[in-house]
PDB file of all heavy atoms in Angstrom:
ATOM      1  N   HIS X 302      -6.461 -11.455   0.736  1.00 97.00           N
ATOM      2  CA  HIS X 302      -7.269 -10.733   1.734  1.00 97.00           C
ATOM      3  C   HIS X 302      -8.731 -11.233   1.709  1.00 97.00           C
ATOM      4  O   HIS X 302      -9.136 -11.995   0.829  1.00 97.00           O
ATOM      5  CB  HIS X 302      -7.214  -9.211   1.537  1.00 97.00           C
ATOM      6  CG  HIS X 302      -7.965  -8.679   0.377  1.00 97.00           C
ATOM      7  ND1 HIS X 302      -8.159  -7.328   0.202  1.00 97.00           N
ATOM      8  CD2 HIS X 302      -8.591  -9.287  -0.663  1.00 97.00           C
ATOM      9  CE1 HIS X 302      -8.876  -7.127  -0.901  1.00 97.00           C
ATOM     10  NE2 HIS X 302      -9.145  -8.284  -1.440  1.00 97.00           N
ATOM     11  N   ARG X 303      -9.461 -10.768   2.686  1.00 96.00           N
ATOM     12  CA  ARG X 303     -10.890 -10.989   2.753  1.00 96.00           C
ATOM     13  C   ARG X 303     -11.491  -9.694   3.301  1.00 96.00           C
ATOM     14  O   ARG X 303     -11.014  -9.177   4.327  1.00 96.00           O
ATOM     15  CB  ARG X 303     -11.233 -12.142   3.661  1.00 96.00           C
ATOM     16  CG  ARG X 303     -12.756 -12.367   3.764  1.00 96.00           C
ATOM     17  CD  ARG X 303     -13.153 -13.232   4.909  1.00 96.00           C
ATOM     18  NE  ARG X 303     -14.606 -13.393   4.903  1.00 96.00           N
ATOM     19  CZ  ARG X 303     -15.312 -13.882   5.898  1.00 96.00           C
ATOM     20  NH1 ARG X 303     -14.705 -14.295   7.013  1.00 96.00           N
ATOM     21  NH2 ARG X 303     -16.627 -13.972   5.800  1.00 96.00           N
ATOM     22  N   LEU X 304     -12.529  -9.204   2.653  1.00 96.00           N
ATOM     23  CA  LEU X 304     -13.189  -7.996   3.111  1.00 96.00           C
ATOM     24  C   LEU X 304     -14.477  -8.380   3.842  1.00 96.00           C
ATOM     25  O   LEU X 304     -15.320  -9.127   3.298  1.00 96.00           O
ATOM     26  CB  LEU X 304     -13.526  -7.067   1.954  1.00 96.00           C
ATOM     27  CG  LEU X 304     -12.345  -6.629   1.106  1.00 96.00           C
ATOM     28  CD1 LEU X 304     -12.825  -5.642   0.015  1.00 96.00           C
ATOM     29  CD2 LEU X 304     -11.257  -5.970   1.945  1.00 96.00           C
ATOM     30  N   LYS X 320     -17.536 -10.987  -4.073  1.00 88.00           N
ATOM     31  CA  LYS X 320     -16.460 -12.021  -4.144  1.00 88.00           C
ATOM     32  C   LYS X 320     -15.357 -11.740  -3.152  1.00 88.00           C
ATOM     33  O   LYS X 320     -14.660 -12.645  -2.712  1.00 88.00           O
ATOM     34  CB  LYS X 320     -15.903 -12.059  -5.543  1.00 88.00           C
ATOM     35  CG  LYS X 320     -16.793 -12.754  -6.549  1.00 88.00           C
ATOM     36  CD  LYS X 320     -16.077 -13.080  -7.850  1.00 88.00           C
ATOM     37  CE  LYS X 320     -15.816 -11.824  -8.666  1.00 88.00           C
ATOM     38  NZ  LYS X 320     -15.295 -12.121 -10.009  1.00 88.00           N
ATOM     39  N   CYS X 321     -15.153 -10.463  -2.805  1.00 90.00           N
ATOM     40  CA  CYS X 321     -14.067 -10.146  -1.876  1.00 90.00           C
ATOM     41  C   CYS X 321     -14.404 -10.563  -0.438  1.00 90.00           C
ATOM     42  O   CYS X 321     -13.557 -10.459   0.447  1.00 90.00           O
ATOM     43  CB  CYS X 321     -13.754  -8.643  -1.926  1.00 90.00           C
ATOM     44  SG  CYS X 321     -12.623  -8.244  -3.295  1.00 90.00           S
ATOM     45  N   HIS X 327      -8.751 -14.569  -1.044  1.00 94.00           N
ATOM     46  CA  HIS X 327      -8.404 -14.580  -2.464  1.00 94.00           C
ATOM     47  C   HIS X 327      -7.229 -13.609  -2.648  1.00 94.00           C
ATOM     48  O   HIS X 327      -7.000 -12.741  -1.774  1.00 94.00           O
ATOM     49  CB  HIS X 327      -9.591 -14.168  -3.341  1.00 94.00           C
ATOM     50  CG  HIS X 327     -10.018 -12.782  -3.079  1.00 94.00           C
ATOM     51  ND1 HIS X 327     -10.857 -12.447  -2.033  1.00 94.00           N
ATOM     52  CD2 HIS X 327      -9.685 -11.595  -3.675  1.00 94.00           C
ATOM     53  CE1 HIS X 327     -11.014 -11.132  -2.013  1.00 94.00           C
ATOM     54  NE2 HIS X 327     -10.319 -10.598  -2.984  1.00 94.00           N
ATOM     55  N   GLY X 328      -6.511 -13.735  -3.742  1.00 95.00           N
ATOM     56  CA  GLY X 328      -5.307 -12.928  -3.924  1.00 95.00           C
ATOM     57  C   GLY X 328      -5.400 -11.838  -4.937  1.00 95.00           C
ATOM     58  O   GLY X 328      -6.312 -11.848  -5.804  1.00 95.00           O
ATOM     59  N   HIS X 329      -4.518 -10.878  -4.828  1.00 96.00           N
ATOM     60  CA  HIS X 329      -4.372  -9.836  -5.836  1.00 96.00           C
ATOM     61  C   HIS X 329      -2.883  -9.624  -6.136  1.00 96.00           C
ATOM     62  O   HIS X 329      -2.046  -9.837  -5.256  1.00 96.00           O
ATOM     63  CB  HIS X 329      -4.914  -8.485  -5.317  1.00 96.00           C
ATOM     64  CG  HIS X 329      -6.407  -8.440  -5.233  1.00 96.00           C
ATOM     65  ND1 HIS X 329      -7.241  -8.252  -6.300  1.00 96.00           N
ATOM     66  CD2 HIS X 329      -7.220  -8.530  -4.122  1.00 96.00           C
ATOM     67  CE1 HIS X 329      -8.489  -8.253  -5.884  1.00 96.00           C
ATOM     68  NE2 HIS X 329      -8.528  -8.433  -4.570  1.00 96.00           N
ATOM     69  N   TYR X 331      -0.742  -6.769  -6.479  1.00 98.00           N
ATOM     70  CA  TYR X 331      -0.746  -5.337  -6.215  1.00 98.00           C
ATOM     71  C   TYR X 331       0.434  -4.668  -6.908  1.00 98.00           C
ATOM     72  O   TYR X 331       1.570  -5.158  -6.793  1.00 98.00           O
ATOM     73  CB  TYR X 331      -0.679  -5.048  -4.724  1.00 98.00           C
ATOM     74  CG  TYR X 331      -1.930  -5.439  -3.970  1.00 98.00           C
ATOM     75  CD1 TYR X 331      -2.020  -6.675  -3.317  1.00 98.00           C
ATOM     76  CD2 TYR X 331      -3.020  -4.575  -3.919  1.00 98.00           C
ATOM     77  CE1 TYR X 331      -3.155  -7.018  -2.614  1.00 98.00           C
ATOM     78  CE2 TYR X 331      -4.179  -4.934  -3.229  1.00 98.00           C
ATOM     79  CZ  TYR X 331      -4.252  -6.156  -2.571  1.00 98.00           C
ATOM     80  OH  TYR X 331      -5.368  -6.507  -1.915  1.00 98.00           O
ATOM     81  N   PRO X 383      -8.818  -4.805   4.932  1.00 97.00           N
ATOM     82  CA  PRO X 383      -7.716  -4.569   3.981  1.00 97.00           C
ATOM     83  C   PRO X 383      -8.222  -4.225   2.560  1.00 97.00           C
ATOM     84  O   PRO X 383      -7.916  -4.908   1.581  1.00 97.00           O
ATOM     85  CB  PRO X 383      -6.961  -5.900   4.007  1.00 97.00           C
ATOM     86  CG  PRO X 383      -7.985  -6.915   4.353  1.00 97.00           C
ATOM     87  CD  PRO X 383      -8.985  -6.239   5.254  1.00 97.00           C
ATOM     88  N   GLU X 412      -4.953  -2.348  -7.340  1.00 97.00           N
ATOM     89  CA  GLU X 412      -5.414  -3.661  -6.859  1.00 97.00           C
ATOM     90  C   GLU X 412      -5.683  -4.560  -8.067  1.00 97.00           C
ATOM     91  O   GLU X 412      -5.508  -5.766  -8.011  1.00 97.00           O
ATOM     92  CB  GLU X 412      -6.656  -3.543  -5.993  1.00 97.00           C
ATOM     93  CG  GLU X 412      -7.014  -4.821  -5.281  1.00 97.00           C
ATOM     94  CD  GLU X 412      -8.136  -4.630  -4.271  1.00 97.00           C
ATOM     95  OE1 GLU X 412      -9.284  -4.471  -4.683  1.00 97.00           O
ATOM     96  OE2 GLU X 412      -7.823  -4.620  -3.061  1.00 97.00           O
TER      97      GLU X 412
HETATM   98 NI1   NI J 767     -10.158  -8.503  -3.263  1.00 91.37          NI
END
Side-chain angles (χ1 to χ4, degrees):
H302 74 170
R303 179 195 181 193
L304 303 183
K320 285 193 288 188
C321 277
H327 63 278
H329 289 281
Y331 291 97
E412 190 172 74

